[in-house]
Amino acid sequence: MKTPRLAILLVLVAAGAHLGARAPGPRATGSGAATASSATAPLAPATPEADPCEAAAAPPSDEPAGSLAPAARRVAIACALREAMASRYVFWPVKDRLLAAAGRPPLEPRAHLEACVEAERAIAVEHEPLHFYDRMRRCVSAFEDGHLILTVPARLPAVALGVGFRLADGKVVVANVESALVHELEATRGPAGLAGLLAPGTEVVSVDGVPALDAVDALAALLPGSSAAARRERGVDALGRRDFASPARPVASLVLASPAGRVRVELPWWIAPGAASHALAKDYVARTGLATTDLVDWRAEPARDADARGRAGAHRTDPIVPAAEAAALRVLRAENGQVAARLGEVTRAGEAPYCYAQLLTFHTETLADGEGKRPFAAVLADFVAGCDAAGRDLVLDLRQNEGGYISHSTALARALTPAGQASPGGALLLRATAQNERVYTERAPVVGGAGSDEDEPLAPRRILAAIGEARRTNREFTPAFLERPLASAGGGFRGRVVALVTPACMSACDRLAGMLRAGGRAVLVGGPTEGAGGSQQETKGQSARWTDPAGLLTVSIPNAAMGLQPAASGGAAESSADAFFEALAFENRPVEPHVPYATTAEDLREANGGWRAAVEEQLAP
């Protein structure tokens, strides 16, 4: 029998893990009043006839800098967030419609954020500032938007177990471990054979007494994501490492399904260096006694996984090719040093070789290897041209692509278009705000000057004029600007294309997958993409990131929306906003694969052999 959700939450709160932080809410105060975790109590409904922010008092002038304890400061932050979302967020007027169309529970944005304000007012004093950030995370995550990312300017230290987990075969399983750490734990704390118990593919039955999948879902409720599957993937990663939902117990109790039966293992939590002196975390460290260790790789994601050091097992960014051929792939790095792409050719016994391009990000203008740095689109165009000249098919591995520049997805879709054919382009719509008007004022070139592109549908000056017109006529949105059908600039690509996708393919990756599918240019293998259709249009002087006046909270707020044209036809440069949200927008609408496939425990043990077999079945003569 399935454990009731309420019972799961009570177990989590009793364990002190705060995994079940479903929503912010009130806490009774005063002598003899029953109390509940302020991170897990339910939201109180907003009072419709009153604006909860009108009564927000200013923080006392003698309050310590950065303090989150009094309700006045927390209410002020929540109110400022509500106003920033209302004035900037591109999906603010339509999010309830998008979620309803995706079969999700209704969400009225203003009422939801006003309930968050009331919840903060109901907590007279917050003794644990980390709980405040968890409640704000839950407020933001309810919008189900992978681009709506909450961060803390004074970056919170991560906690980690030294073990990575994945979803496979409908279960939570071990994926990888910090080898040196596990061997030290085995020698000093036990149990004997710990490394074997934590082998890749081992099922995790429960975490701190909670069924493992329910623990994942509880964490996912605090994470951004435009689909439930994307949030779940981030939630399973957070089981072993996160900078939120800080565990109150210094150890995590895991029940593992071993060949000899179920085994309980207790692993210590570790915290990133500097936590003991961090203004927001030092009290937490003193209370829990968490220690740090240099046996955990504390680098931020995604660089940590793409360039794993000292971690045994399977990693999200492992390629699908055999180990010997993976070592021969050309590794290219982004501007920040992160592994961004792996390119090469895969041989097969008795079959023709195929080209393999693993793209982990579009968020870099250049790609670099030992031979120097070149523009991203140029590197990919040359690789595709070389594959075409050799008569190869192409496997495009987008399983872990975090998105990035829209122009890269357009350039790659164009490069993969056969000569004489056209592929459908994308669409872009903006919220008609003063901020976006300032962004495009900076972007728009002088008419007739160098770089002027007045005839292009997405020309900055054209978009700037549309923003101004929409603001003058009191419309929420610009029209949707439609790219021209994409035609290959050279000889085109003649081979077959198989694209691997999962819920971790987001934003510009969603967009590329949708364009390839709409144009019939690729067979998509894997799972649905995330469905993250927002976009942050910004310049160095006009950031899409909002920070509250006290500098305690930052939220990246999408101010534009991306869309996908269904076919390479017509020639219209614009579409109405209503038509865009009805048929073109892909926010909360993942791109579906042609051939479903999901990672198995065997993939984690055997270098993604199942993925490779699924690909090669599509490339069979």
Side-chain angles (χ1 to χ4, degrees):
M1 184 176 70
K2 186 172 176 63
T3 306
R5 186 67 177 167
L6 176 59
I8 292 166
L9 288 174
L10 291 174
V11 169
L12 288 168
V13 173
H18 301 294
L19 293 180
R22 301 180 64 191
R27 179 174 64 180
T29 58
S31 176
T35 62
S37 165
S38 58
T40 58
L43 274 173
T47 305
E49 64 273 11
D51 184 345
C53 292
E54 288 183 357
S61 58
D62 59 350
E63 188 177 320
S67 171
L68 286 171
R73 179 179 288 274
R74 290 181 282 104
V75 167
I77 293 172
C79 287
L81 173 62
R82 183 195 71 173
E83 294 311 306
M85 290 282 289
S87 63
R88 297 185 180 203
Y89 185 39
V90 66
F91 299 120
W92 180 266
V94 297
K95 194 65 180 182
D96 54 347
R97 186 200 317 175
L98 294 176
L99 291 177
R104 307 298 296 160
L107 175 80
E108 202 293 302
R110 182 171 292 275
H112 170 71
L113 290 181
E114 288 180 354
C116 295
V117 172
E118 293 285 19
E120 291 307 315
R121 191 188 304 281
I123 303 172
V125 177
E126 174 59 276
H127 297 288
E128 177 53 85
L130 300 181
H131 289 176
F132 167 76
Y133 287 112
D134 288 345
R135 292 194 300 273
M136 290 295 101
R137 276 180 169 273
R138 181 60 186 89
C139 286
V140 171
S141 70
F143 284 87
E144 301 195 23
D145 187 332
H147 288 97
L148 202 56
I149 301 170
L150 183 148
T151 55
V152 181
R155 184 177 171 180
L156 295 175
V159 295
L161 293 173
V163 181
F165 303 96
R166 293 282 295 279
L167 297 171
D169 303 320
K171 304 171 184 176
V172 175
V173 300
V174 175
N176 55 68
V177 298
E178 303 278 4
S179 299
L181 176 63
V182 169
H183 288 308
E184 180 171 293
L185 290 175
E186 186 173 0
T188 58
R189 299 175 57 127
L194 180 61
L197 289 172
L198 295 173
T202 299
E203 181 189 355
V204 181
V205 178
S206 67
V207 180
D208 291 329
V210 177
L213 288 172
D214 290 316
V216 168
D217 287 341
L219 286 168
L222 302 181
L223 289 165
S226 296
S227 64
R231 288 190 299 280
R232 230 183 187 200
E233 291 290 347
R234 291 170 188 149
V236 76
D237 287 344
L239 271 183
R241 179 189 174 106
R242 57 184 181 266
D243 62 358
F244 62 97
S246 303
R249 296 176 64 242
V251 296
S253 179
L254 308 181
V255 174
L256 306 173
S258 76
R262 294 190 174 187
V263 179
R264 183 179 299 276
V265 173
E266 291 205 336
L267 297 175
W269 281 104
W270 307 94
I271 197 161
S277 59
H278 192 287
L280 294 172
K282 61 182 179 181
D283 290 343
Y284 166 75
V285 175
R287 184 173 64 258
T288 58
L290 265 60
T292 191
T293 176
D294 59 3
L295 299 180
V296 167
D297 183 352
W298 293 108
R299 290 178 301 161
E301 297 285 10
R304 184 178 68 96
D305 204 49
D307 192 14
R309 302 171 188 172
R311 296 167 67 213
H315 307 97
R316 281 193 173 275
T317 55
D318 287 345
I320 68 162
V321 301
E325 301 206 28
L329 294 173
R330 179 186 175 198
V331 176
L332 297 125
R333 294 183 180 270
E335 292 144 336
N336 62 1
Q338 163 194 343
V339 176
R342 297 184 178 103
L343 309 178
E345 188 172 274
V346 180
T347 59
R348 296 182 291 166
E351 299 288 349
Y354 58 85
C355 285
Y356 177 74
Q358 183 186 33
L359 304 181
L360 300 173
T361 184
F362 289 133
H363 202 263
T364 179
E365 293 183 359
T366 61
L367 292 172
D369 58 10
E371 299 179 1
K373 183 184 297 185
R374 295 184 61 211
F376 186 104
V379 172
L380 268 295
D382 285 353
F383 179 73
V384 170
C387 294
D388 181 76
R392 304 294 187 228
D393 295 323
L394 172 66
V395 174
L396 191 59
D397 189 345
L398 304 172
R399 292 171 302 144
Q400 298 296 323
N401 189 291
E402 64 178 358
Y405 296 119
I406 295 174
S407 58
H408 293 342
S409 59
T410 298
L412 187 51
R414 179 179 288 115
L416 294 175
T417 300
Q421 297 183 25
S423 295
L428 185 70
L429 171 145
L430 288 87
R431 184 100 184 263
T433 65
Q435 180 206 25
N436 276 342
E437 194 165 34
R438 291 191 293 269
V439 167
Y440 277 87
T441 297
E442 288 189 31
R443 287 186 179 182
V446 176
V447 176
S452 179
D453 53 359
E454 297 306 304
D455 294 333
E456 290 298 318
L458 272 64
R461 186 167 292 280
R462 182 187 298 274
I463 294 175
L464 176 62
I467 294 172
E469 175 61 22
R471 295 192 70 207
R472 282 190 296 274
T473 55
N474 295 316
R475 285 182 284 131
E476 290 278 7
F477 302 108
T478 65
F481 303 98
L482 308 180
E483 282 184 326
R484 291 194 179 99
L486 308 179
S488 178
F493 183 69
R494 292 166 290 180
R496 294 175 293 177
V497 180
V498 176
L500 307 185
V501 292
T502 69
C505 168
M506 74 167 294
S507 191
C509 181
D510 274 296
R511 184 177 187 268
L512 174 60
M515 292 165 80
L516 294 175
R517 180 175 176 113
R521 190 61 193 96
V523 174
L524 271 56
V525 174
T529 63
E530 176 168 333
S535 174
Q536 279 125 357
Q537 300 294 307
E538 58 184 7
T539 64
K540 290 183 178 180
Q542 300 292 332
S543 175
R545 293 177 296 279
W546 166 85
T547 301
D548 76 279
L552 297 170
L553 193 72
T554 294
V555 179
S556 183
I557 303 178
N559 52 11
M562 296 182 288
L564 297 168
Q565 296 181 52
S569 60
E574 295 182 359
S575 176
S576 72
D578 284 342
F580 175 87
F581 288 115
E582 182 66 28
L584 305 183
F586 58 87
E587 175 71 7
N588 304 123
R589 296 168 180 164
V591 179
E592 296 289 337
H594 297 94
V595 181
Y597 185 82
T599 296
T600 66
E602 196 63 24
D603 280 315
L604 303 180
R605 290 188 287 261
E606 299 295 338
N608 288 314
W611 280 99
R612 190 163 59 253
V615 162
E616 294 180 357
E617 182 177 349
Q618 297 305 312
L619 294 179

